[in-house]
């Protein structure tokens, strides 16, 4: 039994990753607060802002395997630093976006590229590569929890900024904070974990194309990816549109902000716990439970009379289930294919997550513009939970490529 602990370089990497994820995801999760003020100022329907967010998620996912391949080859710190600079530029351009075209350029293209370099796939893969196997799931859970803390802090802070300096001023302040990612990237220097008990005979190196062919022919990998599609759909639909849903039902913007902040706060517990449990129990079985509980939570929220207490209770429950899928899903990819190609292959799975995010964000706004409500998308979210439970029956953690 190995007694491996977190090394000092890994601890520094965890701290750096935690702050970067807190900034990157904290600002990103607050985008839903801009939907109403920007749409009102420029006379847009909800569909305009929703489409820009949907494009962001699609571009983010489409380039994620490429960004991951660069990180695998050249190192995470360079990729994250470039991503931080792009993120800053995108927020500054968003602050002056007065047309749908500018909004899609800033929020969609530039921020989509930036998020591919400053979010979970690159940073969790860097952490997972540096952690000993028995601590890998826990280390990923710790880093994932940090992104949730950023959501908890940034959402109320963004609301205060919106109320005091307006949406454009709030974006400029956010850009200044995001610029800190560039120097923080240099904390990502922990070396790849080397198993001292491993055979001295090294395995022949595989090219990226060979690895992709192996992954393409491994059916459990694609069932895992289909499950992550559901995660993206649900998280982006609720994260972007729930504040608007609550406004439609007579609640103010503060209620939606508190809901999302509660999601962020309790996701700290959820992601850490998921990482801890992933080191002890079957990760596919844990994912089945998570998706099933999400569906039950949504059904209960819709059936009960809408009140402050049911809204906040839904925020707490969804927080526990929110991004708990991330350390488990990345952990399964690491077990299947080893850590050498983890960033790229996590990026492939993440692409399906972002396709789901595209449809969750865009269809939510389109459905609202056409019908004045979100009823159809809630039903789709419930059906997708059942689908995600089903597909994880065929996911296992069998080693396909060894470290």
């Amino acid at each position: 039994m190995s007694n491996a602990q977190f090394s000092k370089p890994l601890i520094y990497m965890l701290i750096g990753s935690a702050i970067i994820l807190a900034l990157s995801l904290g600002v990103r999760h607050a985008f839903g607060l801009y939907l109403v003020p920007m749409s009102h100022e420029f006379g847009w329907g909800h569909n305009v802002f929703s489409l820009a967010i949907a494009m962001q998620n699609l571009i983010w996912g489409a380039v994620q395997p490429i960004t991951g391949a660069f990180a695998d080859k050249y190192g995470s710190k360079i990729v994250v630093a470039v991503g931080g600079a792009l993120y800053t530029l995108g927020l500054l351009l968003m602050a002056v976006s007065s047309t749908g075209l500018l909004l899609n350029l800033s929020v969609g293209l530039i921020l989509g590229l930036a998020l591919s370099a400053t979010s979970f796939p690159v940073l969790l893969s860097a952490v997972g590569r540096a952690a000993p196997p028995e601590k890998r799931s826990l280390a990923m859970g710790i880093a994932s929890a940090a992104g949730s803390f950023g959501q908890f802090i940034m959402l109320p802070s963004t609301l205060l900024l919106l109320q005091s300096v307006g949406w454009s001023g709030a974006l400029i302040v956010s850009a200044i904070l995001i610029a800190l990612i560039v120097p923080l990237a240099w904390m990502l220097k922990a070396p790849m974990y080397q198993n001292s008990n491993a055979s001295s005979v090294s395995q022949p190196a595989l090219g990226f194309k060979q690895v992709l062919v192996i992954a393409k022919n491994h059916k459990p990998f694609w069932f895992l990816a289909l499950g992550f599609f559901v995660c993206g759909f649900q998280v982006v639909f609720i994260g972007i549109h729930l504040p608007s849903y609550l406004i439609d039902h007579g609640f103010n913007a503060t209620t939606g902000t508190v809901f999302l902040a509660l999601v962020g706060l309790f996701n700290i517990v959820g992601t850490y716990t998921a990482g801890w449990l992933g080191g002890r129990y079957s990760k596919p079985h844990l994912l089945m439970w998570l998706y099933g509980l999400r569906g039950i939570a949504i059904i209960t929220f819709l059936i009960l009379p809408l009140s402050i207490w049911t809204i906040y209770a839904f925020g707490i429950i969804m927080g526990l289930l929110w991004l708990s899928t991330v350390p488990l899903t990345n952990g399964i990819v690491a077990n299947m294919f080893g850590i050498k190609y983890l960033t790229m292959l996590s990026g492939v799975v993440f692409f399906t997550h972002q396709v789901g995010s595209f449809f969750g964000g865009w269809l939510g706004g389109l459905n609202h513009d056409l019908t004045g409500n979100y009823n159809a998308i809630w039903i789709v979210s419930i059906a997708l939970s059942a689908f995600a439970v089903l597909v994880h029956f065929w996911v296992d953690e069998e080693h396909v490529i060894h470290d």
Side-chain angles (χ1 to χ4, degrees):
M1 184 77 171
S2 173
N3 293 318
Q5 301 295 320
F6 289 167
S7 65
K8 189 173 287 187
L10 176 57
I11 291 171
Y12 289 145
M13 176 177 275
L14 276 173
I15 293 170
S17 297
I19 299 171
I20 291 166
L21 284 170
L23 288 168
S24 176
L25 298 181
V27 169
R28 185 249 176 183
H29 279 300
F31 284 159
L33 300 181
Y34 294 95
L35 186 154
V36 173
M38 291 187 73
S39 297
H40 282 179
E41 179 162 335
F42 299 114
W44 299 331
H46 286 199
N47 185 45
V48 174
F49 191 91
S50 299
L51 180 61
I53 292 291
M55 289 302 299
Q56 174 193 107
N57 283 292
L58 193 60
I59 290 167
W60 178 2
V63 301
Q64 190 66 70
I66 300 169
T67 306
F70 273 109
D72 284 335
K73 187 170 184 179
Y74 299 109
S76 300
K77 61 181 182 291
I78 299 295
V79 169
V80 172
V82 172
L86 279 174
Y87 206 147
T88 304
L89 174 64
L91 289 171
L92 291 173
L93 184 58
M94 183 181 173
V96 296
S97 293
S98 56
T99 67
L101 180 62
L102 276 176
L103 196 68
N104 275 284
L105 176 62
S106 59
V107 176
L109 177 60
I110 297 175
L111 291 182
L113 292 171
L115 283 162
S116 76
T118 59
S119 57
F120 286 128
V122 169
L123 288 154
L124 289 195
S125 296
V127 168
R129 194 181 288 111
E134 62 272 31
K135 300 281 186 179
R136 188 175 293 149
S137 184
L138 176 60
M140 288 180 172
I142 292 170
S144 299
S148 305
F149 183 72
Q151 180 177 344
F152 173 65
I153 294 296
M154 287 303 299
L155 278 158
S157 301
T158 301
L159 181 63
L160 288 173
L161 286 169
L162 285 166
Q163 292 170 343
S164 57
V165 297
W167 63 266
S168 186
L171 286 167
I172 292 170
V173 173
S174 297
I176 294 169
L177 289 173
I178 285 295
L180 295 173
I181 288 176
V182 178
L184 285 167
W186 264 258
M187 295 182 72
L188 309 177
K189 296 189 293 186
M192 184 184 296
Y193 175 76
Q194 299 291 335
N195 188 349
S196 58
N197 298 320
S199 169
S200 59
V201 179
S202 61
Q203 298 292 324
L206 296 172
F208 286 133
K209 288 184 179 179
Q210 291 173 288
V211 174
L212 286 173
V213 168
I214 292 170
K216 185 184 75 170
N217 294 325
H218 188 57
K219 288 183 180 178
F221 177 73
W222 294 109
F223 286 123
L224 181 69
L226 285 173
F228 223 24
F229 170 95
V230 175
C231 180
F233 186 100
Q234 293 174 333
V235 165
V236 171
F237 167 61
I238 292 173
I240 294 298
H241 294 288
L242 196 91
S244 172
Y245 173 82
L246 296 177
I247 289 171
D248 287 349
H249 287 79
F251 296 89
N252 59 28
T254 302
T255 306
T257 304
V258 173
F259 167 86
L260 292 174
L262 285 170
V263 169
L265 178 63
F266 282 88
N267 194 35
I268 297 170
V269 179
T271 48
Y272 178 85
T273 304
W276 180 79
L277 290 172
R280 288 159 174 77
Y281 302 101
S282 163
K283 295 179 188 68
H285 290 170
L286 290 170
L287 285 168
M288 289 168 65
W289 275 103
L290 283 171
Y291 287 115
L293 289 170
R294 273 194 196 178
I296 293 169
I298 293 170
I299 292 169
T300 305
F301 174 66
L302 296 175
I303 289 174
L304 291 175
L306 198 60
S307 70
I308 288 289
W309 302 112
T310 59
I311 292 166
Y312 292 167
F314 184 53
I316 291 168
I317 293 167
M318 286 304 297
L320 294 171
L321 307 171
W322 193 249
L323 294 177
S324 303
T325 58
V326 174
L328 297 174
T329 301
N330 281 284
I332 292 171
V333 175
N335 286 345
M336 285 178 173
F337 301 104
I339 57 177
K340 185 173 182 181
Y341 310 99
L342 179 57
T343 321
M344 179 180 65
L345 292 176
S346 292
V348 173
V349 175
F350 188 72
F351 173 62
T352 61
H353 181 283
Q354 294 309 96
V355 173
S357 299
F358 172 86
F359 285 111
W362 176 55
L363 291 179
L366 181 63
N367 179 242
H368 187 275
D369 283 352
L370 292 175
T371 66
N373 61 58
Y374 292 105
N375 295 346
I377 309 302
W378 282 120
I379 293 169
V380 171
S381 294
I382 294 165
L384 285 173
S385 279
F387 173 75
V389 172
L390 182 64
V391 297
H392 282 93
F393 274 112
W394 290 284
V395 176
D396 59 47
E397 300 183 68
E398 177 188 356
H399 296 295
V400 182
I401 299 175
H402 293 269
D403 290 340

